[in-house]
């Protein structure tokens, strides 16, 4: 861009020198200049002319495309979040496909109704290609005809995987606008989100939308795609899970017409400051590993936590366990099951976690003395690559057109965003924003939630796995064009690129160990095995997941599934805690609890009295489920005998403000206001241990959890899920939303006991329960020392 008003400031926050717009590197510090193009929302942008400078910072390039000339300066991020922007925040795990809110454009005096909001990660070309910058990628309908068969199916597969998450946020209509779907090579982006009004779209409407593309589909998939559209419009495909499964099969068949070759190189360095290197990686450093299509490639990077003789032990132990577990996996093309493989990879992460945790316990390590490690792991299988992730190490996906971070950090900032509490650009400015919420080895795997994603490989790509010694301060975003992109053009070999990146990390960051793995994938067509036409889709061949199967499946979407770990924060030595804020929150909680117990109820504030009918804070924001449970409950809970059984038919209740909140179990008597709280999933079987002697709305039941049910996968350990679904059907995308909702409260586990109000559960259970359901769980046939347990006092 040659507009002289668009003076580019250096993205290096320690420099920020002004540069002419024609420069590619900062004339002061030689940092690559960042051209961050943003998409503007709101009618207020129409008041500005192209190439005008707004707020002494933003240049309107054309229409709604804005260039931020000061990328190192935080944007305006107000704390009042408009309702229409919440879906962007709660869908942040899917940022590979969905743009995220960057901030508010402020400049001059404007009315409130003309606010301009800026979206980052929008489908805008930011790289130099034929001298063009700041252009939107063309819409799907424009590039559809020229795409290969496997890429066309890949795009459809991504839409199918996004259907349920967007439906849960009531923005699935966005997927029906072919002009808003903008492919960047194999990655499909949405330009913006549109509310589902007046009603939510259906899969039949999706089929009608796709029918517009069918005439120009590749001859290999034309018949398959046409029948798929017909089955959608006729209602034969009833769920998004079925649609994903059918597309999976089509992609598998198309993938046989391609061959893939992998090069892997790893590198690590202690850095200029640290005396010890706590990181570890696989394959071993110093050797270029080469793998063909039939030899599945594996790469691992672990960033140790816990200091010398702590972090380095944890990272090495994790590598050894993961290698051993992955080598046992069977990658059988004839019996290919992505759900099963996903679960096995997550189980491997849990096994590594337990090995480190057990060593911590054997050495009597506690709290900050416990050693741990982050994890990023890439495993290839036929036409796919699986990315497993825990902590704040990252994976970047580099193609000829862009570089994308495909993992979401398990830290406080990311969690606040996906819960809809604040904007990311505000959250990362807080002192404790980088504090981890989970890592391997810090607790039992029952509280660990690894994230595994899978991606279709239909083009040459480089996957960069790295510790935060490299990724901090956006070094990858700054240098991918000069250091990684040349690999794809054949201008640089993989080992040289790795060495350059480590040198950049030491020179530009230098505060930590740095470890990386580069996985270079080359895709070539193979005419000998390429199908001439795909077999027709057969929905009847896909068994509809039962309630138990759906519970145990893991998501197969190409988007990021949020972590749900609810343990202590793991504060790295280099970061500072929010001590004052935590102290204030603690005092407020304790004060409210004491007032609740000691003061007469008529003296309590109105909001406390109203929320006391629901075991959840009124202020908690809970994402609504895509469909409300409508199972009728013919009976109510009253005068139950001890050992009576009940099955939960609805996992949410409505609080005094009309919000849906989880059905919760207190693990201690209700008078203990700081009792741990667990959510109860639908389908759980509970057993009555005893009732309080009080009457009315404040009756309490003490329950034992016999087994967890159909929403078991919300927070259940991956170990239990493995046992229940070794050969399950393709996973339900509803799990992604369930995990996000359960991030507020962990889920009950079989054998746990706790208290719940009768008023909360009486309309949420079915008393017609067969006793054999309990026998499959952990319930006893006689009470275990419960007869002497005193009844709880009403709060």
């Amino acid at each position: 861009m040659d507009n002289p008003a668009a003076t580019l400031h250096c993205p290096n926050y320690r420099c920020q020198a002004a540069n002419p717009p024609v420069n590619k590197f900062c004339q002061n510090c030689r940092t690559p200049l960042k051209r961050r193009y943003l998409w503007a929302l709101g009618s207020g942008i129409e008041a500005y002319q192209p190439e005008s400078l707004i707020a002494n910072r933003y240049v309107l390039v054309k229409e709604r495309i804005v260039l931020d000339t000061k990328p190192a300066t935080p944007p305006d991020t107000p704390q009042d979040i408009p309702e229409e922007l919440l879906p962007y925040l709660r869908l942040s795990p899917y940022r590979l496909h969905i743009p995220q809110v960057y901030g508010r454009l402020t400049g001059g005096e404007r009315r409130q109704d003309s606010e301009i909001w800026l979206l980052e990660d929008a489908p805008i070309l930011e790289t130099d290609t034929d001298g063009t910058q700041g252009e939107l990628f063309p819409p799907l309908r424009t590039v559809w005809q020229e795409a290969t068969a496997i890429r066309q199916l890949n795009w459809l597969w991504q839409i199918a995987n996004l259907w349920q998450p967007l439906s849960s946020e009531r923005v699935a209509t966005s997927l029906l606008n072919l002009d808003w779907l903008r492919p960047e090579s194999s990655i499909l982006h949405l330009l913006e989100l549109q509310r589902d009004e007046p009603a939510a779209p259906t899969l039949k409407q999706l089929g009608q939308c796709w029918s517009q593309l069918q005439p120009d589909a590749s001859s290999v998939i034309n018949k398959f795609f046409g029948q798929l559209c017909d089955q959608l419009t006729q209602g034969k495909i009833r769920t998004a899970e079925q649609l994903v499964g059918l597309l999976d099969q089509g992609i598998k068949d198309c993938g046989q017409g391609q061959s893939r070759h992998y090069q892997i190189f790893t590198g690590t360095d202690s850095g200029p400051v640290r005396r010890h290197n706590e990181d570890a990686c696989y394959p071993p450093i110093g050797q270029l590993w080469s793998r063909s299509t039939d030899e599945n490639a594996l790469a691992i990077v672990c960033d140790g936590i816990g200091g010398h003789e702590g972090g380095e032990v944890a990272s090495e132990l994790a590598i050894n366990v993961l290698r051993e577990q992955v080598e046992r996996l069977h990658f059988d093309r004839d019996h290919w099951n992505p759900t099963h493989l996903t679960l096995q990879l997550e189980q491997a992460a849990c096994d590594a976690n337990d090995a480190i945790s057990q060593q911590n316990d054997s050495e009597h390590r506690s709290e900050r003395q416990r050693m741990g490690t982050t994890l990023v792991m890439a495993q290839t299988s036929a036409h796919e690559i699986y990315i497993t992730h825990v902590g704040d190490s990252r994976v970047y996906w580099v193609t000829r057109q862009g570089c994308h971070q495909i993992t979401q950090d398990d830290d406080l900032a990311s969690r606040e965003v996906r819960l809809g509490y604040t904007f990311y650009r505000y959250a990362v400015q807080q002192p404790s924003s980088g504090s981890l919420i989970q890592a391997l080895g810090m607790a039992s795997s029952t509280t660990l939630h690894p994230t595994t994603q899978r991606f279709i490989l239909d083009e040459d790509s480089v996957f960069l796995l790295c510790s935060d010694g490299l990724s901090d301060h956006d070094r990858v975003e700054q240098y991918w064009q000069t250091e990684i992109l040349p690999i794809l053009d054949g201008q640089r070999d993989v080992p040289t690129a790795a060495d350059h990146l480590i040198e950049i990390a030491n020179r530009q960051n230098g505060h930590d160990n740095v470890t990386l793995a580069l996985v270079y994938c080359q895709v070539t067509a193979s005419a000998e095995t390429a199908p001439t036409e795909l077999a027709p889709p057969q929905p009847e061949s896909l068994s509809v997941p039962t309630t138990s199967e759906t519970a145990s499946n893991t998501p197969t979407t190409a988007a990021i599934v949020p972590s749900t770990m609810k343990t202590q924060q793991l504060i790295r030595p280099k970061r500072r805690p929010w001590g004052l804020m935590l102290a204030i929150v603690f005092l407020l909680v304790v004060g409210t609890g004491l007032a609740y117990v000691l003061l007469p109820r008529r003296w309590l504030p109105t909001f406390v009295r109203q929320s006391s009918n629901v075991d959840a804070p009124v202020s908690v924001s809970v994402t609504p489920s895509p469909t409300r449970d409508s199972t009728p409950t013919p009976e109510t809970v009253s005068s139950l005998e001890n050992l009576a059984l009940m099955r939960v038919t609805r996992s949410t209740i409505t609080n005094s403000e009309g919000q849906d909140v989880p059905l919760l179990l207190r693990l201690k008597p209700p008078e203990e206001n700081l009792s741990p709280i667990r959510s109860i999933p639908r389908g759980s079987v509970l057993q009555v241990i005893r009732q309080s002697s009080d009457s009315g709305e404040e009756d309490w039941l003490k329950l034992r959890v016999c087994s967890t049910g159909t929403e078991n996968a919300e927070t259940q350990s991956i170990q239990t899920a493995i046992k229940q679904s070794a050969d399950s059907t393709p996973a339900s995308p509803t799990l992604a939303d369930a995990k996000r909702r359960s991030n507020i409260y962990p889920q009950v586990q079989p054998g746990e006991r706790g208290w719940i109000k009768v008023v909360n559960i009486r309309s949420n259970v079915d008393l017609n329960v067969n006793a054999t359901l309990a026998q499959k769980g952990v319930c006893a046939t006689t009470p275990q020392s419960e007869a002497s347990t005193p009844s709880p006092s009403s709060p």
Side-chain angles (χ1 to χ4, degrees):
M1 182 175 181
D2 297 329
N3 180 9
T7 299
L8 295 177
H9 291 253
C10 178
N12 185 346
Y13 72 96
R14 289 175 292 190
C15 176
Q16 302 191 47
N19 290 268
V22 295
N23 284 16
K24 292 185 177 181
F25 298 89
C26 175
Q27 57 192 5
N28 183 41
C29 69
R30 304 305 296 168
T31 297
L33 294 179
K34 172 68 175 177
R35 287 171 171 82
R36 177 176 287 140
Y37 291 96
L38 309 166
W39 182 252
L41 296 177
S43 59
I45 195 66
E46 299 171 359
Y48 298 96
Q49 297 297 320
E51 300 194 2
S52 59
L53 184 64
I54 309 172
N56 197 33
R57 172 172 182 173
Y58 300 102
V59 174
L60 180 61
V61 178
K62 61 185 65 175
E63 298 177 355
R64 294 181 173 272
I65 299 176
V66 173
L67 172 66
D68 184 3
T69 65
K70 299 179 180 179
T73 302
D76 179 32
T77 49
Q79 289 306 288
D80 293 333
I81 302 174
E83 182 70 22
E84 62 270 17
L85 296 182
L86 286 176
Y88 290 97
L89 275 61
R90 294 196 285 247
L91 291 169
S92 61
Y94 301 87
R95 64 180 301 164
L96 182 63
H97 311 285
I98 299 170
Q100 294 299 297
V101 180
Y102 182 66
R104 183 175 60 183
L105 193 157
T106 56
E109 296 183 359
R110 296 192 314 276
R111 296 181 304 169
Q112 185 69 19
D113 61 359
S114 63
E115 275 190 331
I116 303 172
W117 292 93
L118 302 173
L119 302 180
E120 59 181 323
D121 299 322
I124 302 174
L125 183 64
E126 297 185 0
T127 61
D128 288 317
T129 303
D130 299 329
T132 301
Q133 290 181 324
E135 295 279 356
L136 284 173
F137 286 103
L140 177 62
R141 65 169 80 245
T142 302
V143 298
W144 173 264
Q145 186 175 7
E146 303 301 323
T148 62
I150 190 172
R151 178 159 296 181
Q152 289 178 345
L153 290 180
N154 187 5
W155 289 336
L156 299 176
W157 180 80
Q158 293 174 56
I159 295 174
N161 276 301
L162 288 171
W163 184 261
Q164 192 282 325
L166 268 65
S167 295
S168 69
E169 294 295 333
R170 300 183 179 91
V171 289
T173 300
S174 312
L175 297 172
L176 302 182
N177 190 331
L178 295 180
D179 291 330
W180 283 7
L181 296 171
R182 304 273 174 155
E184 176 194 342
S185 299
S186 60
I187 304 172
L188 192 66
H189 300 284
L190 267 168
L191 187 58
E192 58 184 78
L193 298 177
Q194 179 180 347
R195 278 290 188 183
D196 296 341
E197 294 177 353
T202 64
L203 288 176
K204 293 182 180 180
Q205 292 174 273
L206 182 63
Q208 294 169 354
C209 175
W210 283 5
S211 297
Q212 303 174 49
L213 301 172
Q214 190 270 331
D216 295 324
S218 167
S219 59
V220 177
I221 69 167
N222 191 284
K223 184 177 179 180
F224 172 91
F225 185 31
Q227 292 175 329
L228 189 72
C229 293
D230 291 341
Q231 291 167 359
L232 281 168
T233 55
Q234 295 169 12
K236 294 181 180 179
I237 300 176
R238 300 185 300 276
T239 66
E241 302 93 272
Q242 285 183 300
L243 179 58
V244 170
L246 293 171
L247 289 168
D248 265 327
Q249 187 60 49
I251 293 173
K252 172 178 175 287
D253 294 340
C254 277
Q256 295 178 0
Q258 294 180 335
S259 61
R260 294 160 190 83
H261 182 265
Y262 304 98
Q263 294 183 32
I264 307 175
F265 190 86
T266 60
T268 185
D269 193 273
S270 59
V273 176
R274 298 293 180 90
R275 295 183 179 180
H276 304 286
N277 193 341
E278 300 177 40
D279 297 354
C281 56
Y282 179 82
I285 62 175
Q287 180 179 354
L288 180 63
W289 291 67
S290 180
R291 293 288 184 270
S292 66
T293 299
D294 296 331
E295 299 175 302
N296 297 293
L298 173 66
I300 310 172
V301 167
C302 291
D303 181 359
I305 303 170
H308 183 47
E309 296 183 354
E312 60 191 58
V313 173
S315 58
E316 288 288 353
L317 182 56
I319 294 287
N320 294 334
V321 173
L322 288 165
R323 282 186 57 196
E324 179 182 354
Q325 294 298 321
V326 173
E327 286 174 356
R328 295 178 180 176
L329 301 182
H330 298 288
F331 302 94
D332 189 347
R333 181 185 291 272
D334 295 331
H335 299 88
W336 166 78
N337 188 323
T339 300
H340 184 42
L341 181 54
T342 297
L343 288 169
Q344 288 179 311
L345 292 171
E346 294 189 349
Q347 177 61 35
C350 289
D351 291 342
N353 173 84
D354 286 342
I356 302 170
S357 183
Q358 289 168 9
Q359 184 160 338
N360 277 326
D361 294 340
S362 66
E363 297 175 0
H364 306 290
R365 295 174 180 255
S366 61
E367 297 180 351
R368 296 192 181 187
Q369 295 178 345
R370 294 181 72 87
M371 60 184 178
T373 182
T374 67
L375 165 68
V376 281
M377 177 170 65
Q379 172 68 58
T380 66
S381 175
H383 59 284
E384 299 176 321
I385 186 168
Y386 291 72
I387 303 296
T388 304
H389 161 250
V390 176
D392 63 354
S393 293
R394 293 180 177 178
V395 179
Y396 293 86
W397 186 3
V398 178
T399 67
R400 286 185 172 85
Q401 288 189 289
C403 172
H404 299 279
Q405 177 186 335
I406 59 176
T407 56
Q408 185 178 46
D409 296 345
D410 287 330
D411 59 14
L412 286 178
S414 298
R415 186 176 68 177
E416 292 295 294
V417 174
R418 67 174 175 257
L419 291 176
Y421 294 160
T422 188
F423 298 115
Y424 181 75
R425 293 292 172 177
Y426 173 83
V428 295
Q429 299 175 52
Q430 308 312 309
S432 191
S433 63
S435 298
L436 297 181
I437 61 174
Q438 69 169 357
L440 297 184
M442 309 310 290
S444 167
S445 62
T446 58
T447 58
L448 183 76
H449 296 274
T451 297
T452 297
Q453 312 158 70
R454 63 187 178 106
F455 304 92
I456 309 300
L457 297 174
D458 67 7
E459 66 176 325
D460 292 354
S461 307
V462 177
F463 290 86
L464 168 65
L465 293 68
C466 65
S467 64
D468 58 357
L470 172 61
S471 62
D472 278 353
H473 307 304
D474 297 330
R475 299 307 178 200
V476 177
E477 289 84 350
Q478 293 172 8
Y479 287 96
W480 73 271
Q481 288 179 262
T482 59
E483 307 302 330
I484 302 178
L485 187 59
I487 297 176
L488 297 173
D489 296 331
Q491 300 174 3
R492 178 170 297 170
D493 58 38
V494 177
T496 301
D499 291 342
H500 284 194
L501 290 171
I502 292 176
E503 181 183 352
I504 289 170
N506 288 335
R507 184 179 69 251
Q508 300 281 12
N509 291 338
H511 59 278
D512 201 356
N513 309 146
V514 55
T515 302
L516 60 82
L518 286 171
V519 181
Y520 175 28
C521 173
Q522 295 172 284
V523 180
T524 57
S526 176
E528 296 180 358
T529 57
T532 57
E533 186 175 297
L534 295 189
Q538 298 178 345
E540 61 277 5
S541 67
L542 296 176
S543 59
V544 179
T546 62
T547 53
S548 60
E549 289 173 338
T550 303
S552 58
N553 286 338
T554 56
T556 61
T557 71
I560 302 168
V561 181
S563 162
T564 57
M565 186 175 184
K566 294 296 294 181
T567 58
Q568 76 276 13
Q569 295 177 21
L570 312 178
I571 309 298
R572 289 179 179 265
K574 63 185 179 184
R575 291 162 176 147
R576 298 174 295 171
W578 277 341
L580 179 60
M581 182 175 293
L582 291 176
I584 294 173
V585 172
F586 177 79
L587 292 175
L588 288 174
V589 171
V590 172
T592 303
L594 291 174
Y596 187 85
V597 173
L598 300 176
L599 295 179
R601 291 183 58 80
R602 65 179 181 272
W603 291 354
L604 294 177
T606 302
F607 80 93
V608 175
R609 294 200 304 270
Q610 290 176 343
S611 64
S612 65
N613 287 331
V614 177
D615 291 333
V618 175
S619 61
V620 171
S621 174
V622 180
T623 304
S625 301
T627 56
R628 182 181 295 277
D629 302 329
S630 57
T631 306
T633 306
E635 303 184 44
T636 59
V637 178
S638 60
S639 303
L640 288 173
E641 299 290 335
N642 288 353
L643 304 183
L645 298 175
M646 60 182 72
R647 177 166 45 205
V648 177
T649 58
R650 182 165 173 251
S651 61
T652 59
I653 54 180
T654 304
N655 65 13
S656 59
E657 294 190 351
Q659 298 172 316
D660 283 346
V661 297
L663 184 65
L664 300 174
L665 186 74
R666 293 176 177 268
L667 299 190
K668 294 182 180 180
E671 61 266 20
E672 299 185 30
N673 286 276
L674 299 181
S675 166
I677 296 177
R678 302 286 187 267
S679 63
I680 308 175
R682 184 181 62 206
S684 299
V685 176
L686 309 174
Q687 187 178 43
V688 178
I689 295 176
R690 66 180 297 115
Q691 296 185 77
S692 66
S693 57
D694 300 329
S695 60
E697 296 283 296
E698 298 304 320
D699 280 356
W700 289 78
L701 291 175
K702 186 169 187 180
L703 305 171
R704 179 190 292 113
V705 181
C706 301
S707 61
T708 51
T710 62
E711 291 179 359
N712 192 21
E714 287 188 5
T715 53
Q716 184 186 25
S717 70
I718 300 301
Q719 289 178 329
T720 304
I722 286 277
K723 296 176 183 178
Q724 294 182 345
S725 62
D727 296 308
S728 59
T729 55
S732 168
T734 58
L735 179 58
D737 182 61
K739 280 190 174 184
R740 176 161 40 80
R741 299 198 316 269
S742 66
N743 191 55
I744 301 174
Y745 298 104
Q747 181 188 295
V748 296
Q749 297 295 324
E752 286 186 324
R753 299 182 177 100
W755 296 94
I756 194 169
K757 289 181 181 179
V758 172
V759 68
N760 288 345
I761 199 173
R762 65 184 180 187
S763 61
N764 286 44
V765 295
D766 182 1
L767 302 182
N768 298 319
V769 180
N770 191 318
T772 58
L773 290 176
Q775 295 173 2
K776 296 179 181 179
V778 295
C779 287
T781 55
T782 58
Q784 300 178 3
S785 66
E786 302 294 345
S788 60
T789 303
S791 300
S793 59
S794 296

